[in-house]
């Protein structure tokens, strides 16, 4: 796993431009939970299979996805209202031009949730869009052992 971290860090630093450095952070990758890293890698593996460029980790998107997956548990419902009303405006303020989210609940592994998204046209569109460049993803296990998953992509 360390070799993948090193490759992503070097590649990310190479592709970072000064105007985008205010919200892109490779240092944050070390702080990602292991389940979130597995989800991140499963998403990118699906993109690689389809010959679509990989997404790069972003500190702000990760923080939003991590918070969002926990809030899914607390609210008890899966809908995109919170994303459109709260998260998307914050991302626009940070300089992202466009963003989207996929959410899910009850999946047992990162591969399982990504497979579910691939089998849904709307989710697949977000996951495989060539227009997105950055990703934040979180696989949250609630105290009741149910899982709440969120991925946020942006450009």
């Amino acid at each position: 796993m360390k070799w993948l971290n090193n490759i992503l860090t070097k590649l990310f630093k190479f592709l970072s431009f000064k105007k985008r450095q205010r919200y892109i952070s490779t240092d944050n990758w070390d702080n990602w939970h292991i389940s979130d890293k597995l989800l991140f890698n499963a998403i990118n593996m699906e993109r690689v299979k389809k010959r679509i460029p990989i997404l790069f980790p972003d500190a702000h998107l990760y923080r939003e996805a991590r918070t969002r997956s926990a809030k899914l548990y607390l609210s008890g419902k899966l809908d995109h209202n919170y994303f459109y009303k709260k998260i998307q405006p914050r991302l626009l303020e940070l300089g992202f031009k466009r963003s989207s989210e996929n959410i899910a609940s009850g999946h047992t592994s990162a591969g399982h949730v990504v497979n579910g998204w691939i089998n849904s046209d709307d989710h697949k569109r977000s996951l495989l869009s060539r227009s997105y460049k950055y990703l934040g993803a979180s696989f949250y296990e609630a105290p009741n052992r149910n899982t709440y998953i969120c991925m946020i992509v942006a450009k």
Side-chain angles (χ1 to χ4, degrees):
M1 208 57 160
K2 188 172 183 153
W3 63 270
L4 179 61
N5 186 29
N6 289 338
I7 289 171
L8 286 174
T9 299
K10 288 177 185 176
L11 187 58
F12 195 61
K13 284 180 181 176
F14 175 75
L15 295 174
S16 294
F17 299 102
K18 283 191 181 226
K19 68 177 185 173
R20 299 188 73 81
Q21 284 179 343
R22 64 190 164 101
Y23 60 82
I24 295 170
S25 169
T26 55
D27 298 333
N28 183 264
W29 178 253
D30 292 334
N31 297 327
W32 283 41
H33 293 257
I34 188 68
S35 59
D36 301 338
K37 287 181 179 182
L38 292 171
L39 178 58
F40 179 88
N41 289 335
I43 291 166
N44 272 329
M45 289 305 297
E46 197 61 43
R47 291 175 68 88
V48 167
K49 281 191 229 172
K50 307 281 192 228
R51 298 176 188 250
I52 298 170
I54 64 168
L55 298 166
F56 297 98
D58 179 84
H60 290 286
L61 296 179
Y62 175 65
R63 199 167 27 257
E64 292 288 357
R66 189 79 186 148
T67 302
R68 175 77 165 123
S69 59
K71 285 187 180 205
L72 290 171
Y73 161 66
L74 294 173
S75 72
K77 58 183 178 179
L78 292 177
D79 68 42
H80 298 285
N81 292 336
Y82 184 81
F83 176 77
Y84 292 118
K85 289 179 183 176
K86 302 284 185 179
I87 297 172
Q88 205 168 47
R90 280 196 298 262
L91 295 178
L92 289 171
E93 285 178 17
L94 287 170
F96 289 104
K97 294 181 178 115
R98 184 173 171 218
S99 60
S100 182
E101 80 165 350
N102 282 354
I103 55 177
S105 175
H107 294 275
T108 56
S109 69
H112 190 247
V113 72
V114 170
N115 188 50
W117 284 336
I118 287 296
N119 290 318
S120 163
D121 289 339
D122 289 338
H123 293 101
K124 183 178 182 177
R125 198 172 303 120
S126 293
L127 196 138
L128 298 179
S129 173
R130 291 179 181 274
S131 66
Y132 295 119
K133 303 264 187 253
Y134 306 102
L135 171 66
S138 178
F139 194 96
Y140 177 78
E141 186 173 343
N144 66 3
R145 308 286 293 160
N146 196 9
T147 55
Y148 296 87
I149 303 101
C150 177
M151 70 165 246
I152 300 175
V153 290
K155 70 172 188 172

